[in-house]
Amino acid sequence: MTSAPPLTKPVDVADPRAQAAVRIDGIDKVFPLGRGKDLRALGTVDLEVAEGEFVAIIGPSGCGKSTVLRMMAGLETPSSGSVEIFGDDPHRLAKQHRLGVAFQEHALLPWASVRGNIALPFKVAGRPLDAERVDGLIDLVGLSGFEKARPKQLSGGMRQRASIARALALSPDLLLLDEPFGALDAVTRRRMNAELARIWAEERITTVLVTHDVDEALILADRVVVMTGRPGQVRTIRDVDFPRPRGADVTRSPEFHDLVDELTALLVEAE
Ligand SMILES: Nc1ncnc2c1ncn2[C@@H]1O[C@H](COP(=O)(O)OP(=O)(O)OP(=O)(O)O)[C@@H](O)[C@H]1O
Ligand SMILES: [Mg+2]
């Protein structure tokens, strides 16, 4: 694997001249459960993500991580507060195919090939197929030689790579990943983490990743958002300053382990 060049710091969102990629302002979410009962999924959440930044969200099960991500994807609307993506409404950006989304269930078309699946967004968006882009993505996610394979002929890790390639197909402005590697074994998961880190270093797309895996968050992110239990709120946001690429020298360091312990303790506390 080629090592990525050292990365510059993301833009400072506190700088009013810098445009935030994601600006979440005081959102909460109440789901009606029928018979006059409600479920309060989120407390008040504020979060900004700078352009080019990689942010990971961790938190106990059911705390509203997917709900927050779905709001960024324009798939869910906050009960109050606002979500802006590059200063715009997420629904509108979703319609313009400027958001790339990959969730735990890979949702590839079973009857289509790897190439067909990765090319699908062009068809959905009614755009002419950019075959060069599709080939480049197949290469980027390491699926060269498997272009004609159907999803069921691929391993779980390969299917996730195809999903991520598909999410990247139209060069989205924002990549939203919800537990994309949740179903993979630990070794494959670490390999996928390294690949996603490499892809991010090459494409530099603003990325928000929801994960249960503290190591994964620390291997990939510039900042880790720790949420409290339901109704989910931001418990703390931790900067992650380890140099990239974050190989074994980083993950075996005492500093890395200290941060894993610190965030794990916060998660246990948040349950
Ligand atoms: N459409 C819905 N209708 C009613 N309740 C919902 C809906 N979507 C989510 N919820 C509830 O909102 C809460 C937050 O759900 P969400 O899926 O965002 O949690 P999560 O943090 O992603 O959990 P996990 O880590 O298990 O994936 C949960 O209690 C869930 O049951
Ligand atoms: Mg979830």
Side-chain angles (χ1 to χ4, degrees):
M1 193 195 305
T2 51
S3 63
L7 301 176
T8 53
K9 285 291 271 177
V11 291
D12 178 6
V13 282
D15 176 354
R17 290 162 305 175
Q19 188 187 33
V22 177
R23 188 162 277 153
I24 292 177
D25 193 7
I27 53 166
D28 63 27
K29 182 70 184 178
V30 177
F31 289 109
L33 294 180
R35 298 190 186 177
K37 285 196 175 159
D38 288 334
L39 182 134
R40 191 170 162 78
L42 286 178
T44 311
V45 172
D46 297 296
L47 178 66
E48 291 199 358
V49 179
E51 193 171 356
E53 196 180 18
F54 195 125
V55 166
I57 302 178
I58 61 175
S61 183
C63 76
K65 303 180 293 297
S66 297
T67 303
V68 171
L69 207 72
R70 288 171 59 78
M71 286 181 192
M72 292 186 209
L75 297 168
E76 201 85 70
T77 313
S79 303
S80 59
S82 66
V83 179
E84 283 184 359
I85 311 289
F86 293 99
D88 212 335
D89 173 18
H91 297 92
R92 186 155 62 222
L93 294 182
K95 275 196 199 140
Q96 294 168 351
H97 308 279
R98 287 170 61 193
L99 309 177
V101 178
F103 291 161
Q104 179 170 0
E105 289 76 30
H106 59 83
L108 298 172
L109 297 180
W111 59 87
S113 65
V114 163
R115 184 191 297 279
N117 269 290
I118 296 174
L120 182 71
F122 288 95
K123 205 182 255 180
V124 173
R127 294 191 197 164
L129 177 68
D130 183 344
E132 220 171 283
R133 172 79 181 154
V134 173
D135 287 340
L137 284 168
I138 290 170
D139 193 37
L140 183 73
V141 299
L143 285 175
S144 299
F146 292 90
E147 292 84 348
K148 291 188 178 146
R150 311 267 170 227
K152 70 166 190 284
Q153 297 171 298
L154 302 176
S155 71
M158 291 162 97
R159 285 198 283 266
Q160 286 311 112
R161 282 188 259 161
S163 299
I164 289 172
R166 186 178 59 183
L168 291 169
L170 300 178
S171 303
D173 297 331
L174 177 65
L175 183 62
L176 300 169
L177 305 173
D178 193 352
E179 287 278 348
F181 311 131
L184 304 180
D185 66 272
V187 174
T188 309
R189 185 171 193 146
R190 284 296 159 260
R191 196 176 307 141
M192 293 297 300
N193 291 160
E195 295 203 3
L196 180 57
R198 177 180 57 80
I199 291 167
W200 178 80
E202 282 184 33
E203 298 262 320
R204 283 308 203 86
I205 294 179
T206 311
T207 303
V208 181
L209 166 81
V210 165
T211 180
H212 277 110
D213 185 330
V214 175
D215 290 56
E216 178 169 287
L218 293 176
I219 288 168
L220 288 163
D222 294 306
R223 287 187 300 147
V224 178
V225 178
V226 186
M227 288 179 65
T228 66
R230 188 168 62 81
Q233 284 177 298
V234 176
R235 166 79 170 74
T236 191
I237 300 182
R238 197 69 167 75
D239 285 327
V240 185
D241 291 326
F242 302 118
R244 289 182 165 101
R246 295 174 182 161
D249 51 334
V250 168
T251 56
R252 288 191 190 134
S253 68
E255 294 80 11
F256 190 89
H257 285 280
D258 287 350
L259 205 44
V260 171
D261 289 347
E262 183 189 323
L263 295 186
T264 306
L266 285 174
L267 281 182
V268 171
E269 209 178 276
E271 286 274 1

